[in-house]
Amino acid sequence: MNDGDPRTPNVSTLLGELRAGDTSAVQRLFPLVYEELKRIAQIQRQGWLDAETLNTTALVHETYVKLARGREGDWRDRAHFLAVAATAMRSILVDHARGRSRAKRGHGRAPLDLAAIDEVIGEPMESIPDIDVLLALDGALDRLSELSERQGRIVECRFFGGMSVDETAEALAISPASVKRGWAMARAWLYRELTASREG
Amino acid sequence: MTRAADGPFDWERVERLFDELVALPAANRAALLEALRSDEPALAGELASLLACAPLADDFFRKLPHASAAVAADLVRSGSDSPLLDRASGVWTDDHPGSVVAQYRVEDQLGRGGMGVVYRATDTRLNRPVALKFLPPHHWVDGRARERFRLEARAAAALDHPNICTVHEVGETPEGALFLAMAYYEGETLRERLTRGPLELDAVVDIAAQATSALGAAHAHGIIHRDVKPGNLMVTADGTVKLLDFGLAQLADVTVTASGQTPGTIAYMSPEQVRGERADARSDLWALGVVLFEMLTDGRPFVGDSEAAVLHAILTRQVDVRGPRTGRPPVPDDMAHVVERLLRKEPAERYQSADELLDDLSSLGRIDAVPRRAGLRWFRLPRMRRVRAQVAALVLPALVASAIGVMYWRQSAGRQSPNAATEARVASLAVLPFKNYSGDSTQEYFANGMTDEVTSTLTKIEGLRVVPHQSVRKFEHSDRSVLQIAQKLDVRYVVDGSVLQDGDSIRITASLIDVTRKAPIGMQRFVRGRREVLALQHELALAIARAVEIELTPQDLERLGDAPPVNPDAFDNYLKGTTLRDYGTSEHWRDMSVAVDYFRRAIAADSGYALAYAGLASVYAFSGDVTQAREFAEKAIGLDPKLADPYIVLGVLRQFEDLDWAGSESAFRQAIRLNPGSAEAYHELSMLLMRRNKLDQALAAAQRALHFAHESARFQSGLAEVYYHAGRYDEAVRAAARAQSLDPSWIVPVGVQAAAYGQLGKYEEAVAGLKKVTEQAGGDVCFGELGFSYARSGQRVRALEFLRACEAGLKKHGQRDPGLAYAIAKVHAGLGNREQALEWLERAAEGGPRWMIYVRVDPTLVSLHAEPRFRAVLKKMRLDE
């Protein structure tokens, strides 16, 4: 453990700083999380999870446990951590999806065919359509964030981080009621965004 | 943050309205929207479309996690490596502790610079501290750069010189990060030292000489350092200079101008490098000249307001080392001369080689001490100085040493010294009996057999401490939870699975549970055709090892070997055989003969099936058919030299039949080499060593067996035996008691304990215990220890009675029962009748080795040890080493 040495901040210290409002701590936490997620994914790559789907929420929570290393502060610390991890998770997935997408077809994302989604969601093996879905979501989320950063963050926390309403509220320093409202509207907005383009 | 999107919408207002409206029944909602439409049609339109989407959106988002899960799974499956740190601004994470890179565990960060970050780490394989230097990410992707780096680093690693930082290896993480693993030195760089103040002249020359020596060695191998500077010279606590970072300067393409260099190093560029020409050995010497200048004058030879100005100065300015400086003594002429010669603009005018420079440095006469290390050629003192040198040699080392100690000792505030006492990691695990999911109870043998085979495979991996299946088996029908069982077995991980034969394939589903976290790490299905059952076992074993983060060594892989296809019928019959052999009913002998039948059927299906022969060997060894046991053991080994169990059989046979003690020991050790996790092999080894009177080793081996299975009554009893024969009777009593508590129905530890009591003089307990054993054994057997105890406790009458009973037994079984003869010998020994004791001992010895294997260490015979006839018996048993 790197308890004594102030020059090597550990996750708990960073979380403390996050809570105290030091947003640069996010910068420092991000690569840690990113890397831990990759590392877990690698271990699990060896086949220890059912290879058809990977529960990303569990992965995010797993990361927290590992990085917090037994000093799992209170649930509020965890909430802040998860929020960052959610962002990291989104990046990882989107990075990968983009890479795949580029390999298959060039740039640009065609808008989604709803029927295709319906078919596809029950059939995760051929992941090409899932990649499209994820990329489209990512793009739409970016656009949402421009309009409302708060809603964008809520979606990240709830969807990519699997965080509860209370955890999201804590992490974003808003009320749970705000979270619920924001989540409801964000979903509607995103759905509309994802499916609207055909109509010109 | 809200901003108008497609119109001047106040986002928060929209959100609030949406929230209100979405909860309303349709009719009310429509009414409100209508009302809004007349005032703010755009807003109403926006809300209407959002509300229309709401229910569909809910549905969509409920299903959506599958998409991200699928992408995640795809990522994991494909093992894609997106450049890890694009988003992290191209700089390695600040905090890396505890991360593992190859076999290194990162401890803390030592520093960072333009050429990357350095961490202190521990090489977990060799238990030593190392320094890991990671290259910055922008170096990772250029293929040519990487190749150059590797070549250079490899060359540098080949250098072996006391003043060159030893490079252990060049590595690459899965993310593509390049790193060097180097020896870790406690000390400080010259740069750090210089910031603290001026150096004594002697120290300056000493450092220069050591650095020159290093360069000389490198140049002799054709390696140019290219980045000599104070930051790359480390001085360790005892004053040794280490030149660091060979091979790294190659990364920055040196033909590029200053912008290709890391900041701060242009000061050390030679004119030819500035001009873009090739650097050679003399360029390194130039840089050393700059360093020397800095050490002497506390300033730089070529300065300027900008990079360009510095470069210009390098090309054109004459170096001024002799000029007066405030607060500093002037540089002596001879040293100034060296510096000036090093800093000649034309390479041809400088020292042409490190050796040349060394000559001059040593003739400075500043350090007259004897060379600190062999291999340093640098002290060839001119003849005339020798006398002075000899006197000085007495005095100076102390001075120099203490001066160096004062100047170079690192202030290690807050830093711990490298601790090499960390052990390589071992993960402990137990494989719970696989459940039989076929619904067919006749398939039980398959589930049991597969459990044992998988466990056996895992014992070949040294980094795992695997509980033997017999020990796990004890909990099969207990009502304890998995976690409780794990705690009893003292393991960190548990494999909990099921097995199913389905047509032509075998399917194992296994969960790996982390006991300390009380949670599963994961679950996996392994499916293979029946012919590939070995490959299946390997796959499972490797997956387990990886999941518990144990890396396989080359020896592990060697032991695991190939997994050639298997004849399914042979395998099936083999499993039936082993199941019966290991977990049969109480009708032992019948079970054994049925087991033999199964093994033979296995051989009929596949005449080259080594495991079946091994099975036969074990059964025949158990039943005492020595010839067949040996034959089949050797056959098994001949077919597959990686099988450990036949060696165990051989080891036992060689003792009991051949008196080949050395051969027995080597057989057990071979078994251990083949299966480092074989508790059985350690147990048998401990028994052998005990009989050979190698009691310390025996103890170690017995404890090792227990290390794997401390719930094993058999191994505890074995430990008790070793203590007993080693004369440590109190410990024997305790160990035997533990064995009894682990298995109250097993009588052997009772006997061992009783014998130990006898030696302790606790004759009541001894007699009681031995009587109990005698009863259980059928009343017909004679335990010499019982008679011995009678004798020693002064119960002469009883002792004689005992003797008579034994002799009667002899008459019954024919005069040649060596076991009885041996027992009688012990009683006589206890009575003090040495002649008779020896006589009976000799008679027992004639009966063959089986009863005599303890004779060397048997406490009851200690009184005979001095007798020549006793020694003759030992010699006959080949125990007279």
Side-chain angles (χ1 to χ4, degrees), chain A:
Chain A
M1 287 290 285
N2 42 348
D3 282 325
D5 192 338
R7 279 166 292 182
T8 55
N10 61 18
V11 169
S12 301
T13 316
L14 287 174
L15 290 178
E17 288 167 16
L18 266 179
R19 284 186 63 189
D22 176 4
T23 50
S24 73
V26 175
Q27 277 307 306
R28 279 181 290 153
L29 192 56
F30 189 93
L32 274 178
V33 173
Y34 196 102
E35 196 205 315
E36 186 61 28
L37 284 165
K38 287 293 292 261
R39 205 171 74 79
I40 291 172
Q42 275 195 14
I43 290 173
Q44 292 173 333
R45 177 196 309 178
Q46 307 310 332
W48 271 102
L49 282 198
D50 190 336
E52 273 136 38
T53 57
L54 182 65
N55 183 337
T56 56
T57 313
L59 201 65
V60 164
H61 287 248
E62 169 87 0
T63 310
Y64 175 74
V65 169
K66 268 219 165 95
L67 284 179
R69 235 184 296 236
R71 295 159 116 251
E72 282 164 45
D74 61 18
W75 72 272
R76 284 181 282 260
D77 279 338
R78 202 174 78 132
H80 285 276
F81 177 92
L82 291 175
V84 179
T87 313
M89 176 54 84
R90 177 184 168 191
S91 308
I92 294 173
L93 292 177
V94 170
D95 261 349
H96 177 68
R98 232 174 245 144
R100 282 293 208 211
S101 171
R102 229 170 304 169
K104 305 267 180 204
R105 54 183 79 192
H107 292 265
R109 300 173 217 120
L112 284 173
D113 183 338
L114 267 188
I117 296 178
D118 257 333
E119 276 166 30
V120 143
I121 291 223
E123 275 275 315
M125 280 313 292
E126 273 315 297
S127 41
I128 299 173
D130 290 316
I131 284 168
D132 284 351
V133 168
L134 199 69
L135 286 174
L137 178 67
D138 181 62
L141 193 52
D142 276 342
R143 292 192 287 281
L144 174 63
S145 300
E146 279 172 27
L147 297 169
S148 167
E149 188 182 332
R150 181 172 51 85
Q151 283 194 10
R153 287 291 284 137
I154 290 173
V155 172
E156 244 183 20
C157 288
R158 300 277 287 148
F159 183 76
F160 287 100
M163 293 162 71
S164 69
V165 168
D166 285 329
E167 284 170 338
T168 308
E170 168 64 29
L172 302 181
I174 55 181
S175 70
S178 257
V179 172
K180 285 190 210 157
R181 273 201 315 268
W183 178 230
M185 180 166 154
R187 278 179 292 160
W189 193 93
L190 285 169
Y191 181 83
R192 190 181 69 182
E193 184 74 9
L194 286 170
T195 56
S197 63
R198 292 284 168 83
E199 268 71 341

Side-chain angles (χ1 to χ4, degrees), chain B residues 498-521:
Chain B
S498 64
V499 73
L500 170 62
Q501 275 198 95
D502 178 14
D504 207 34
S505 64
I506 302 176
R507 183 180 293 239
I508 297 181
T509 307
S511 292
L512 183 65
I513 296 165
D514 181 338
V515 176
T516 53
R517 300 242 312 279
K518 298 195 168 70
I521 294 179

Side-chain angles (χ1 to χ4, degrees), chain B residues 449 452-453 573-583 595 599 615:
Chain B
D452 297 347
E453 291 303 305
N573 279 302
Y574 168 71
L575 284 190
K576 287 180 176 157
T578 55
T579 308
L580 213 47
R581 178 193 65 189
D582 296 338
Y583 312 112
F599 290 135

Side-chain angles (χ1 to χ4, degrees), chain B residues 647-665:
Chain B
Y647 280 103
I648 299 181
V649 170
L650 283 181
V652 173
L653 292 175
R654 284 177 190 167
Q655 279 175 74
F656 286 80
E657 298 303 313
D658 311 331
L659 294 175
D660 177 8
W661 303 99
S664 171
E665 188 173 334

